[in-house]
Amino acid sequence: MRKTASRIVPTAGLVAMLMAMSAGCADDPAAKGVAPPSAAPATSGSMSGTSGPAPSRVPDGVPDLQAGKEVARDIQVPWGLAFLPDGDALVSERDSGRVLQVPGRGGRPREVYRVPGVVASGEGGLLGLAVSPGYARDRYVYAYLTTSSDNRIVRFRLGDATPEVLFDGIAKASFHNGGRIAFGPDGMLYAGTGDAGQRDSSQDPRLPNGKILRLTPEGRPAPGNPTPGSPVYSLGHRNVQGLAWDERGRLFATEFGQNTLDEVNLIEPGRNYGWPEVEGKGDTRGGEFTNPLVTWSTSEASPSGAAIAGNTLYVAALRGERLWTVPLRDGRTGEPRAELVGRYGRLRTVAVAPDGALWLTTSNTDGRGEVREGDDRILRYPARAGTG
């Protein structure tokens, strides 16, 4: 069932729409704005709350970052990455609208679907992918894409001619489209959206932009959301492109800052993460806003994908051209460590495969990187025995 509306209202089945264009994420050299209230980076923070979903199993093998191997190459702007039950990966090409299947142990990618209606412009196009938790039964693949009028979430089977529109009316722009989707441990579909350059939309609970949305697999507002009948799970975001859950079911999200600080946030239902009033850590106004756990300068990060293996959060950095590892222990985040600095250029997506291996995609063909032979490529880091 397709759902459209001009605004989110507390009635099941309605969604929102807002059209805009803006300066880019922290990765965008043309980004402009008011200086944030705080510029002090934080390398640790409390994780005392819970994100709502029940705990989930997190692969506990430690990815060996010294044993990476290339599993695929010559992919044009890979963005989404999701795994089929047999370990093969589905990868989206942002600009072409193609979905490629990559063998779990490496091999030549093959096109298995082309999403119709993709309009690639700036940061928009075919973005996040997710595979249904019940794929063996229902065969559904989910995608977040930019069209001529909006961003939307669809689902399809690989043999379908036309995807089913689940949620549309998310404002599009050349920048800040968000685009990451993932199923949580509760079986619900989560989506990170951008503010599409309309900063005030992030604070408007009636609009889907600048939010993390929580939906049923059919695209309706999920039961148990902070406001009944609304898809909004959290608000006050600028541009969310990374979602990951730890073994206790807590949700972490990466967020692009504007000129100063990028963020990792612990996402709790109904919380407001401050944008555009706060970038990085700042005045919470007596608890109205929630501060991030970790911040980086925009030159060090521009964080896109996120994944958790064991007790470590992995964050792929675009402008920073590195993989950040963040320890998650004893209810706190430890000191982040930069890995693979400059080795492969811009890094877009990181994900943990069913066998515990860490997969990483480059993003040098997206118009902002230095293209190297073989770009863009997908790398696989096998899991060692032990805990993260």
Side-chain angles (χ1 to χ4, degrees):
M1 181 173 65
R2 186 182 183 194
K3 306 167 211 28
T4 58
S6 60
R7 286 182 178 266
I8 293 174
V9 296
T11 303
L14 297 184
V15 301
M17 186 170 183
L18 175 68
M19 295 294 297
M21 182 171 179
S22 94
C25 30
D27 192 40
D28 174 23
K32 300 177 182 179
V34 179
S38 168
T43 56
S44 66
S46 172
M47 301 191 306
S48 59
T50 61
S51 65
S56 62
R57 181 74 174 89
V58 174
D60 58 7
V62 178
D64 187 349
L65 298 182
Q66 304 305 312
K69 292 187 176 180
E70 182 179 289
V71 295
R73 59 166 39 203
D74 297 321
I75 300 174
Q76 295 301 304
V77 199
W79 212 103
L81 173 64
F83 292 96
L84 297 170
D86 65 2
D88 283 3
L90 297 180
V91 179
S92 65
E93 287 189 330
R94 186 189 69 184
D95 294 351
S96 71
R98 297 197 306 163
V99 177
L100 306 178
Q101 185 168 339
V102 178
R105 292 289 177 172
R108 187 175 181 83
R110 63 184 181 93
E111 180 180 334
V112 292
Y113 196 76
R114 190 179 293 255
V115 180
V118 172
V119 176
S121 177
E123 295 173 359
L126 180 58
L127 304 178
L129 293 179
V131 170
S132 168
Y135 183 84
R137 180 187 70 257
D138 60 37
R139 316 298 288 183
Y140 277 127
V141 176
Y142 291 70
Y144 186 114
L145 68 143
T146 310
T147 73
S148 61
S149 60
D150 62 4
N151 287 301
R152 60 183 57 183
I153 299 169
V154 302
R155 71 178 179 184
F156 51 87
R157 298 180 177 94
L158 296 179
D160 288 347
T162 304
E164 176 186 5
V165 179
L166 301 180
F167 193 103
D168 57 6
I170 304 168
K172 60 171 273 187
S174 292
F175 306 101
H176 304 186
N177 290 295
R180 194 68 63 183
I181 57 175
F183 279 95
D186 56 358
M188 297 295 110
L189 182 66
Y190 291 72
T193 71
D195 67 8
Q198 298 295 309
R199 295 154 57 105
D200 292 343
S201 68
S202 297
Q203 290 294 322
D204 190 337
R206 300 168 298 174
L207 300 174
N209 288 84
K211 309 295 191 301
I212 293 176
L213 309 178
R214 179 172 175 264
L215 308 168
T216 68
E218 295 72 37
R220 301 183 182 92
N225 280 357
T227 300
S230 169
V232 174
Y233 192 66
S234 63
L235 70 162
H237 299 290
R238 184 171 183 266
N239 193 21
V240 173
Q241 289 189 9
L243 302 170
W245 287 264
D246 72 1
E247 60 186 4
R248 290 179 53 185
R250 295 176 294 197
L251 172 59
F252 296 80
T254 58
E255 182 163 345
F256 289 85
Q258 181 166 259
N259 296 319
T260 308
L261 295 174
D262 296 323
E263 303 177 359
V264 172
N265 287 292
L266 171 64
I267 304 300
E268 297 181 288
R271 291 289 184 92
N272 187 327
Y273 291 83
W275 178 257
E277 303 302 324
V278 182
E279 179 183 0
K281 293 189 71 173
D283 183 2
T284 67
R285 294 185 181 175
E288 178 183 356
F289 301 140
T290 300
N291 274 328
L293 299 180
V294 177
T295 61
W296 295 284
S297 70
T298 55
S299 63
E300 294 177 302
S302 295
S304 187
I308 293 175
N311 295 316
T312 301
L313 171 68
Y314 297 85
V315 178
L318 290 163
R319 185 177 171 190
E321 297 190 352
R322 65 197 69 184
L323 179 69
W324 284 105
T325 61
V326 183
L328 304 175
R329 291 190 178 92
D330 301 324
R332 299 183 66 82
T333 53
E335 184 75 23
R337 178 183 175 91
E339 303 281 0
L340 310 177
V341 179
R343 187 177 302 180
Y344 299 107
R346 293 162 60 80
L347 303 179
R348 169 71 66 181
T349 296
V350 59
V352 178
D355 65 0
L358 193 76
W359 286 46
L360 188 62
T361 74
T362 67
S363 191
N364 295 317
T365 61
D366 64 4
R368 291 179 177 165
E370 179 182 344
V371 179
R372 311 172 187 203
E373 183 181 357
D375 281 340
D376 271 314
R377 66 194 72 221
I378 300 176
L379 306 159
R380 177 183 180 272
Y381 297 88
R384 299 189 306 241
T387 57

